[in-house]
């Protein structure tokens, strides 16, 4: 199985993993043969790509740390909570928060059973549901980093909720500002920055969440070296949860496609995090991030600097940006060629310059 950008999808390809849409609806089932109307519908929804099965990738085994079905359930639950903007049905809100807590507990169990696995998350976000999907992916990334940083289970649940709810304040901001397909004015940006405080008030006073959850969401835009918001605090003054979410939030946002921008390469987001250790981000947490996050997930189609196309077969903790790849030959009878970008002496000048 491999991931193919939607622009490179062709009629006749076989879906390798079931794809779910809004409200948990099944869009395309594993094994379906791709048709033109499928591609057009996915383009309309804003999907960046899909997983396919083919002869070239039959030996590629993609292991997700968190089951995609559980991820989808979390998105649906979060969407239900966010859509209840006036919280007139408080009990419904309580039920949704409890449901999300159960989902987080399931995620923690899956992460605990895959402690040696690297993070292989490919963004499958659509335009319309970006906020909910972003919050869930930030939650998954945060839980994995929390586990790597030896946070206990009860605290991990609080971290997960803080990450899932880190942008809950945005539901109190006008949608035309949140979804604006161009640069924000200074006034609009000031309005968006209020989401941290609005989210804190919601979590504390309406959803009655613990202090760790409330503060984790409140301070996720603070910078380790200072200069962030809403309080312009720095270093260890910033709650530990917030320092984790600051990294996962930025990484996921940079590597996701939006209506107003294309997704940056995951490797570019990865290098941004590394380059801002100590300035924007806690260096200790950045080190954990570098040990666990694969900028080119297994199954990702990539373009090499020598012009060849390949697929990522294996990532290694010490050489995350230089994985083992399998070269795609135009001639189907050519023998398989594998290149270890980290260890092959003849590959030292070869880099990954894009995704295919």
């Amino acid at each position: 199985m491999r991931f193919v950008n939607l622009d490179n999808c062709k009629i006749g390809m076989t879906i390798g993993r079931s794809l779910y849409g809004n409200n948990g609806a099944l869009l395309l089932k594993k094994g379906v043969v791709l048709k033109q109307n499928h591609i057009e519908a996915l383009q309309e929804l804003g999907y960046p790509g899909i997983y396919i099965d083919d002869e070239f990738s039959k030996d590629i085994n993609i292991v997700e740390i968190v089951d995609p079905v559980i991820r989808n359930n979390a998105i649906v639950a979060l969407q239900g909570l966010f859509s209840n903007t006036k919280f007139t049905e408080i009990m419904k809100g309580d039920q949704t928060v409890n449901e999300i807590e159960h989902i987080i507990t399931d995620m923690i169990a899956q992460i605990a059973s895959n402690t040696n696995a690297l993070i292989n998350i490919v963004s499958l976000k659509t335009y319309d549901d970006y906020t909910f999907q972003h919050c869930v992916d930030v939650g998954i990334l945060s839980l994995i980093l929390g586990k790597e940083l030896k946070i206990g289970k009860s605290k991990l649940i609080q971290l997960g909720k803080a990450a899932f709810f880190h942008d809950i304040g945005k539901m109190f901001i006008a949608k035309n500002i949140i979804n604006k397909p161009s640069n924000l004015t200074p006034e609009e940006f000031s309005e968006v920055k209020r989401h941290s405080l609005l989210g804190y008030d919601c979590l504390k006073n309406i959803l009655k969440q613990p202090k760790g959850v409330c503060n984790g969401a409140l301070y996720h835009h603070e910078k380790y070296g200072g200069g962030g918001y809403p309080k312009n605090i720095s270093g260890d003054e910033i709650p530990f949860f917030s320092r984790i979410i600051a990294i996962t939030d930025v990484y996921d946002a940079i590597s996701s496609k939006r209506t107003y921008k294309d997704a940056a390469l995951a490797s570019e987001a990865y290098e941004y995090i590394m380059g801002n250790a100590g300035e924007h981000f806690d260096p200790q947490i950045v080190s954990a991030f570098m040990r666990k996050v694969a900028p080119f997930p297994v199954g990702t189609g990539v373009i090499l600097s020598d012009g060849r196309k390949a697929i990522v077969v294996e990532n290694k903790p010490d050489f995350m940006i230089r994985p083992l790849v399998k070269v795609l030959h135009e001639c189907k009878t050519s023998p398989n060629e594998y290149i270890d970008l980290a260890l092959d002496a003849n590959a030292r000048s070869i880099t990954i310059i894009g995704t295919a």
Side-chain angles (χ1 to χ4, degrees):
M1 183 165 59
R2 61 184 171 121
F3 182 80
V4 179
N5 289 340
L6 202 58
D7 291 341
N8 296 322
C9 287
K10 294 179 173 56
I11 296 170
M13 287 182 168
T14 302
I15 301 295
R17 176 175 290 167
S18 295
L19 187 65
Y20 297 88
N22 296 344
N23 301 317
L26 179 64
L27 294 181
L28 288 172
K29 189 176 182 180
K30 174 180 169 65
V32 167
V33 176
L34 206 59
K35 299 178 181 177
Q36 183 61 35
N37 63 310
H38 295 148
I39 296 174
E40 292 172 357
L42 293 174
Q43 288 173 332
E44 182 69 22
L45 289 169
Y47 278 95
I50 56 174
Y51 286 97
I52 69 161
D53 278 328
D54 60 9
E55 188 66 22
F56 177 66
S57 61
K58 66 181 182 180
D59 59 339
I60 306 297
N61 182 30
I62 299 175
V63 178
E64 293 279 5
I65 295 182
V66 172
D67 187 331
V69 174
I70 293 180
R71 174 185 179 271
N72 188 72
N73 291 341
I75 292 167
V76 173
L78 204 61
Q79 187 175 23
L81 180 64
F82 273 46
S83 63
N84 188 16
T85 54
K86 295 183 179 179
F87 289 96
T88 54
E89 302 175 50
I90 297 299
M91 283 305 296
K92 178 182 176 183
D94 288 345
Q95 290 168 2
T96 304
V97 171
N98 289 337
E99 180 184 356
I100 289 171
E101 187 167 323
H102 286 309
I103 290 171
I104 290 171
T105 301
D106 288 341
M107 288 180 173
I108 291 170
Q110 291 195 344
I111 292 166
S113 66
N114 290 282
T115 53
N116 294 324
L118 302 178
I119 300 174
N120 284 302
I121 290 182
V122 174
S123 175
L124 291 177
K125 297 178 182 64
T126 59
Y127 299 145
D128 292 341
D129 277 352
Y130 171 82
T131 297
F132 315 120
Q133 296 175 74
H134 168 68
C135 288
V136 170
D137 286 346
V138 168
I140 293 171
L141 287 165
S142 297
L143 288 171
I144 293 169
L145 291 188
K147 185 68 176 177
E148 176 71 7
L149 292 162
K150 312 299 184 186
I151 296 176
K153 183 177 178 181
S154 62
K155 292 294 185 182
L156 273 179
I157 292 173
Q158 288 196 28
L159 170 61
K161 287 197 287 184
F164 271 43
F165 299 146
H166 78 282
D167 273 346
I168 198 170
K170 286 185 176 180
M171 70 182 189
F172 302 106
I173 307 292
K175 286 188 176 181
N176 65 308
I177 295 178
I178 295 296
N179 297 322
K180 186 177 179 181
S182 58
N183 292 334
L184 297 176
T185 66
E187 293 76 18
E188 290 169 336
F189 183 56
S190 293
E191 179 67 10
V192 169
K193 287 168 67 175
R194 293 178 62 235
H195 80 275
S196 297
L197 288 167
L198 293 171
Y200 174 83
D201 288 340
C202 172
L203 290 169
K204 180 182 179 182
N205 300 317
I206 299 178
L207 296 181
K208 309 298 183 182
Q209 291 302 295
K211 181 179 179 181
V213 175
C214 300
N215 285 342
L218 175 62
Y219 296 112
H220 73 276
H221 281 294
E222 298 289 357
K223 297 179 180 179
Y224 193 74
Y229 66 87
K231 301 293 186 181
N232 189 19
I233 56 179
S234 62
D236 291 345
E237 293 178 295
I238 305 169
F240 193 46
F241 289 176
S242 303
R243 283 179 268 154
I244 292 173
I245 298 168
I247 292 173
T248 57
D249 175 46
V250 168
Y251 177 78
D252 188 73
I254 291 176
S255 56
S256 297
K257 186 175 182 178
R258 302 294 306 278
T259 54
Y260 53 84
K261 77 170 186 70
D262 288 331
L265 288 177
S267 59
E268 294 174 347
Y270 185 86
E271 289 180 1
Y272 179 84
I273 299 297
M274 287 193 300
N276 283 281
E279 183 176 351
H280 290 182
F281 309 117
D282 183 334
Q284 177 193 4
I285 303 173
V286 171
S287 294
F289 172 86
M290 291 171 62
R291 292 193 299 271
K292 297 300 293 184
V293 175
F296 299 108
V298 171
T300 302
V302 295
I303 302 171
L304 304 178
S305 56
D306 61 8
R308 289 182 292 177
K309 294 182 180 180
I311 183 172
V312 176
V313 174
E314 180 185 355
N315 282 292
K316 302 172 185 179
D318 296 330
F319 302 99
M320 286 291 211
I321 61 174
R322 299 188 68 79
L324 174 68
V325 300
K326 180 181 180 181
V327 177
L328 175 61
H329 289 292
E330 296 296 332
C331 178
K332 295 183 179 180
T333 59
S334 299
N336 291 330
E337 179 184 358
Y338 293 85
I339 303 175
D340 191 324
L341 295 176
L343 300 179
D344 287 357
N346 294 331
R348 289 175 181 169
S349 63
I350 300 175
T351 59
I352 295 174
I353 62 171
T355 56

